Amino acid sequence: MNTPFARTFAAIAVYLSLCLALAACSADLRSPDSNRGSGPLSFGPEQRLGANEKNPATPFLRYSPDGRLFAVWTEDHDTPWPQGSQPAMHQHGSGDRAPSPMRNALLAWSADGGKTWSSPWRVNSVVEAVQGEENGPKVAFADNKAYVVWSIPGEKGDKTRANIRFAMGDEKGHFIPARTLNEVKDAARFPIIETTPDGNLLVAWIDRRIDGPKPRQLYLMRLKNDGQALTKNYQVGEGLCECCKLGISFADSGKTVYMVDREVDGNKIRNHVLRKSTDSATSFGAPVEISDDGWQVPSCPHSGPSIGRDSRGQLHVSWFTLGRSEQEAGIYYSVSKDDGKSFAPRQLVQANTAPETLYATLAVGNDDRVYLAWSNLDSDNKAQIFMRTLAADGRTWSPLQQISRAKGNAGRPVLALMKNQLQVAWTETIGEDSRVVLRSATVDK
Amino acid sequence: MKKPISGRSSRWILATGLCSLFWCSAVLILTPAITWSQHTHGTQSSAPGVGAPAIAFDLKSVDGNSVGLASFRGKPLMMNFFASWCDPCRDEMPLINELAGKAGKGGYAVLGVAVEDTRAAIMQYAQEAKLVFPIALDLNSTVKRAYRIFGPPATFFIDGQGTIRDVVIGPITPERAREGLKKAGASL
């Protein structure tokens, strides 16, 4: 073998190798799916909320101003069916009585970051079929009181023509009897409640009192912190998808309000939009499309967007879409750096591993990091909860992290963040049983 | 004066160069492939479509009895995936129920497969909507995933031999339902 040739060839080979390795690394760093960047979160053990035998489900988490972590969820009520309405069971049935459609809303708190929990308080004084899934109860706090909203089926039992219920409780867990907030009955669901920076309350929901060409409307109502109405129901938007949760965030001491929802147009394309108010949610500007995903679907995604605002005023949004083909399906993220006028091109956080509607949520830390949690199928075709973190630089993603080990399916994660404590809760189901699972992580400062 | 490189040294340099080139090329080529496979795992295989055999399953009904696809063999079947919380499912349910009421006369069968729902909610809904067809509870989403459905409603028309003859993803119209049943061999 010619020695100069060998030397030259080896030098070229080493040079090319270095170039290729560098290219591989830089390509990896540029990818939105990069596993480089901040490390995985370190989670504590799983905690369970609620009474196992009552099938707890659909948790929602929020820190109160005094630093306690609160959770609200739903559970079976002991009494099976309203008198006289129980359907007959066949002799070969799995039980001698039908399972109850009646569900309660429970509220409990933890003063040690989710390690131990108070005895739960029942929020609904009257036995009701408190709805869950995408439409579970939510809680907000002001003036040492807890305010909870949920929905119940309409008079004829129709889940899709429901009513928004509201109750207020004191520090001892005494809740006033719930009342219905929607003035037109059997037309509202998917409520959210927020304490506005002025100490009052804002409740929003999806309403169908006008069954027109744009069949769903965004309705709001303001309440004082004593629970009394500050306003009547008022409409601030239309064209909403009928069954996807709403997202909300505030700025400027509550003068600016951002809401996100899934829209549906005449061709059944369901993209997400941002609606912005600069007058404390009295009125909202024209919706701004977050991403032209082009998902044309005539049925119910039941998977709404999530929004958070960081200290720099950037708006972070995550959502699920199938896009224009199954190959596009997944959890996406985008950011607005101009106060909601426009959004950056979407980034894929994780693609679907199989045809399945996924559920995403996000939370923004004081250090401007974005925490995303969602469900997706694992290699055994079971839905699990996954997380990634986006660093404040807006480019560096943490590795994909699976945080549930459900034997059945895990879904609809929720997040709560206070200082350096991150909480994640979700529902696990297997067969007819469900449970609420919570895990905590300490977030690096 | 430089020491001349021996034939053995040059072979070593050549081998080292080739080896590093091979491994770096492999890393570069395989990295995107691995990443892609992580992101698309499972999405490449298509849903069971027209002409494909219907995927067998065995579930429990709302009253705890066994409901399997095999028990419908021999006659056309309209299999409707639905949920009690689903608006379009509720909208189309009167049609499904009406066709179920005529199933005996038409020589076909109707089966509801409840997805992402609870037995209690389905029982309540079945009572409220006066449903007259059997309902299988797909509580763990295994059948929904086998049929590769993102969400309800979806309707499959299966002939007596167990072959899928028509599929409607999303709400179904009376015309499409009758067309699907005819394709599956029902006499309407």
Side-chain angles (χ1 to χ4, degrees):
Chain A
M1 184 176 286
N2 186 308
T3 299
F5 169 76
R7 282 205 324 229
T8 307
F9 184 83
I12 292 169
V14 169
Y15 175 77
L16 281 173
S17 302
L18 288 169
C19 290
L20 287 167
L22 199 65
C25 289
S26 63
D28 194 27
L29 283 170
R30 277 198 307 271
S31 164
D33 301 310
S34 166
N35 282 349
R36 291 170 182 269
S38 53
L41 298 166
S42 179
F43 281 93
E46 289 187 355
Q47 308 281 336
R48 291 192 197 181
L49 295 177
N52 283 343
E53 71 279 9
K54 293 184 179 178
N55 294 316
T58 56
F60 178 80
L61 301 175
R62 176 159 280 171
Y63 279 96
S64 63
D66 64 8
R68 284 182 291 169
L69 173 66
F70 279 75
V72 60
W73 68 93
T74 62
E75 275 186 9
D76 288 340
H77 184 73
D78 292 330
T79 308
W81 287 73
Q83 196 170 8
S85 69
Q86 179 173 342
M89 291 287 287
H90 293 228
Q91 284 187 338
H92 302 293
S94 59
D96 57 2
R97 70 175 195 181
S100 171
M102 297 295 134
R103 302 274 291 178
N104 292 319
L106 282 299
L107 182 72
W109 54 267
S110 169
D112 55 10
K115 293 184 184 71
T116 59
W117 287 82
S118 69
S119 297
W121 301 322
R122 198 175 101 180
V123 176
N124 50 306
S125 52
V126 177
V127 178
E128 297 177 321
V130 175
Q131 293 186 316
E133 293 83 39
E134 182 79 351
N135 191 16
K138 307 286 186 297
V139 63
F141 302 95
D143 194 29
N144 293 321
K145 295 188 185 76
Y147 308 88
V148 183
V149 289
W150 66 94
S151 71
I152 59 169
E155 196 175 356
K156 294 176 182 171
D158 188 339
K159 283 183 169 185
T160 64
R161 297 177 186 274
N163 295 299
I164 308 299
R165 305 282 281 163
F166 167 83
M168 178 177 72
D170 63 20
E171 286 186 315
K172 294 177 181 172
H174 298 138
F175 278 85
I176 59 163
R179 73 176 198 269
T180 298
L181 294 184
N182 47 299
E183 291 149 357
V184 175
K185 301 295 180 236
D186 299 351
R189 56 183 182 150
F190 299 98
I192 56 172
I193 185 166
E194 294 288 332
T195 307
T196 54
D198 63 4
N200 290 314
L201 300 158
L202 181 67
V203 181
W205 65 85
I206 298 173
D207 201 288
R208 63 183 301 176
R209 68 186 67 184
I210 307 165
D211 272 341
K214 289 190 170 183
R216 303 294 182 266
Q217 304 90 43
L218 177 58
Y219 266 77
L220 305 182
M221 181 180 185
R222 299 183 74 95
L223 303 168
K224 290 190 281 187
N225 61 12
D226 62 2
Q228 297 304 305
L230 267 172
T231 68
K232 288 184 166 294
N233 298 178
Y234 60 101
Q235 184 186 337
V236 294
E238 62 180 0
L240 279 77
C241 182
E242 62 268 31
C243 53
C244 296
K245 68 179 163 65
L246 304 166
I248 191 167
S249 192
F250 295 93
D252 309 326
S253 303
K255 195 175 172 190
T256 304
V257 182
Y258 308 93
M259 296 195 72
V260 284
D261 63 82
R262 193 189 287 273
E263 290 273 280
V264 56
D265 71 9
N267 294 317
K268 300 288 182 187
I269 290 173
R270 299 181 194 245
N271 292 335
H272 293 92
V273 298
L274 173 89
R275 300 168 191 272
K276 180 180 168 187
S277 167
T278 54
D279 55 7
S280 303
T282 303
S283 62
F284 282 74
V288 173
E289 189 169 83
I290 294 166
S291 176
D292 181 16
D293 298 327
W295 185 15
Q296 187 176 36
V297 53
S299 51
C300 301
H302 267 253
S303 176
S306 184
I307 184 172
R309 184 177 182 273
D310 70 20
S311 66
R312 300 164 296 190
Q314 296 184 7
L315 299 169
H316 306 271
V317 184
S318 67
W319 68 94
F320 164 75
T321 186
L322 188 143
R324 290 178 170 82
S325 74
E326 279 195 28
Q327 280 65 40
E328 279 184 44
I331 300 296
Y332 286 87
Y333 161 86
S334 184
V335 62
S336 172
K337 296 180 179 178
D338 56 8
D339 202 28
K341 293 184 188 70
S342 64
F343 281 83
R346 68 182 187 179
Q347 295 185 51
L348 179 65
V349 180
Q350 193 194 14
N352 270 58
T353 52
E356 181 90 355
T357 300
L358 311 182
Y359 309 102
T361 189
L362 66 74
V364 181
N366 292 335
D367 58 359
D368 298 332
R369 266 191 285 186
V370 185
Y371 301 87
L372 293 101
W374 66 94
S375 60
N376 205 347
L377 300 194
D378 65 12
S379 55
D380 293 327
N381 235 19
K382 291 174 178 171
Q384 305 287 359
I385 305 302
F386 295 85
M387 279 201 73
R388 290 183 83 177
T389 304
L390 177 60
D393 64 11
R395 296 187 301 275
T396 310
W397 289 89
S398 71
L400 184 67
Q401 193 172 1
Q402 181 180 330
I403 61 167
S404 69
R405 293 285 181 271
K407 291 177 182 169
N409 292 300
R412 290 200 166 85
V414 289
L415 294 168
L417 194 53
M418 171 69 90
K419 294 178 182 169
N420 65 340
Q421 282 294 310
L422 176 70
Q423 310 287 345
V424 193
W426 62 88
T427 304
E428 289 188 4
T429 56
I430 181 162
E432 296 195 38
D433 301 325
S434 69
R435 63 179 189 168
V436 170
V437 180
L438 178 133
R439 292 188 77 185
S440 308
T442 301
V443 176
D444 296 334
K445 297 291 274 184
Chain B
M1 188 177 171
K2 279 186 180 176
K3 191 179 174 182
I5 298 171
S6 67
R8 196 172 170 180
S9 298
S10 65
R11 278 198 297 276
W12 186 86
I13 291 168
L14 184 62
T16 307
L18 283 170
C19 193
S20 52
L21 182 62
F22 171 77
W23 283 111
C24 287
S25 302
V27 167
L28 187 65
I29 291 163
L30 290 177
T31 299
I34 292 165
T35 308
W36 177 247
S37 71
Q38 285 171 342
H39 286 170
T40 59
H41 161 74
T43 59
Q44 299 304 302
S45 61
S46 57
V50 174
I55 298 164
F57 59 82
D58 200 8
L59 296 170
K60 294 286 185 191
S61 69
V62 286
D63 53 8
N65 295 316
S66 212
V67 186
L69 191 64
S71 59
F72 294 93
R73 198 85 185 232
K75 63 167 72 170
L77 174 67
M78 179 168 75
M79 183 168 69
N80 176 250
F81 290 83
F82 76 101
S84 68
W85 42 260
C86 160
D87 272 25
C89 303
R90 285 178 174 262
D91 291 345
E92 71 177 18
M93 198 49 79
L95 169 67
I96 306 289
N97 210 30
E98 181 195 331
L99 290 168
K102 298 173 180 171
K105 199 175 173 184
Y108 60 90
V110 174
L111 171 66
V113 180
V115 300
E116 297 174 29
D117 221 323
T118 64
R119 190 159 65 101
I122 290 296
M123 288 184 80
Q124 188 185 34
Y125 177 51
Q127 185 188 39
E128 167 203 329
K130 299 181 172 61
L131 302 184
V132 297
F133 53 88
I135 300 168
L137 297 174
D138 186 22
L139 296 169
N140 293 324
S141 297
T142 50
V143 178
K144 182 179 81 96
R145 286 171 192 159
Y147 279 82
R148 305 183 66 80
I149 297 164
F150 271 87
T155 307
F156 288 72
F157 296 89
I158 301 162
D159 69 17
Q161 286 70 50
T163 302
I164 297 169
R165 292 301 175 196
D166 202 0
V167 180
V168 177
I169 301 295
I172 194 166
T173 60
E175 294 74 27
R176 284 293 287 116
R178 288 188 183 93
E179 184 187 341
L181 280 168
K182 280 180 185 172
K183 284 180 180 174
S187 52
L188 294 174

